[in-house]
Amino acid sequence: MRRYMFLIAVATLGALLAGCGSVRPDDTASDGSLDRMDWDRDPGTIIVRLDARGTSATPAESLNAIPPCTLWGDGRVVWVTSGGSGQEQVLEARATDDTMRVFLQDIINRGFYTWEDELIPAEAGTGVTQTVSIYLYDELHTVQRSSNWPANGFDTILARCEQLSETPVLVLPWAGWVSAYPIERDDRLPHWYWPEDLDFTPADLVANGEARWLHGEPVEEIWGVLRDTVNRVQVIGPDEQAYELALAVPGISRDAAAPPPGEDHPRPTATPQDTPVPTPIPATEDAAS
């Protein structure tokens, strides 16, 4: 019954938006307040996530991959882009309530709740599965496709998600879960040697099949190595074996476990970065009517 009422509410809102044309942050109700759409404001609740998973990704690649864009209930938004030299950058910002409301209304107005999963899955080994998930009114709705999104929906929503704030900062996490996977050593590639002062090694992680909680400067170094997808730096352990590392950061990474008991939640240490300031999200003049 609750889901039935939810779908009626979504359909009604969609019809209202279609009839009104574009939606602007200053659209008000009769009592002067903004539109009544609301969401769970908990900082740990994901309201919108756009994700992409490669069908041939290794375990480390899956753990290291940051979803293209995620928006939490308190307005925190994290997305991925490329720096000037091609290295992957993870950016963080905070969106206002008005901007979030416009963004959510725009997604609905595009017909999101009428989209269906693609019947043919992504090609094994070479394909990428993309998903758009929205959590509203206690209901999680996800659409999964590998191509042919209605009205180029995935790319369009992603572009708007990346423009929810004019003041992004570069994410530099201070803590996370580190795991290791042995790979064949290639001396043609640049190397990063495991810090000698740590009380465990990549070989220990492999032997125990575990991820170890790590914080401080080594985390920033590992994060930099993993984000440098251009140079493909290899990690060399004290045993001279090459390893592929994974770093899962709570509040940033897709599948990161919660911090150990007694540890503060590892909010990323963000520093201003000098990439061009994104353009604020526009009104929905190009949304489907």
Side-chain angles (χ1 to χ4, degrees), residues 25 99-100 102-104 106 160-161 163-165 279-284:
T99 300
M100 283 185 65
V102 172
F103 179 52
L104 292 168
D106 176 67
R160 291 178 179 274
C161 191
Q163 298 171 355
L164 291 175
S165 172
T279 303
I281 184 171
T284 60

Side-chain angles (χ1 to χ4, degrees), residues 141-196:
H141 187 75
T142 299
V143 179
Q144 174 178 294
R145 303 179 70 87
S146 59
S147 62
N148 301 320
W149 284 85
N152 199 31
F154 184 89
D155 289 342
T156 302
I157 295 173
L158 175 59
R160 291 178 179 274
C161 191
E162 294 171 344
Q163 298 171 355
L164 291 175
S165 172
E166 298 181 356
T167 55
V169 293
L170 190 63
V171 170
L172 292 176
W174 66 270
W177 295 99
V178 179
S179 53
Y181 305 83
I183 57 174
E184 184 178 352
R185 180 165 176 165
D186 186 346
D187 288 328
R188 296 172 298 178
L189 298 176
H191 292 42
W192 182 78
Y193 286 89
W194 185 259
E196 296 181 354

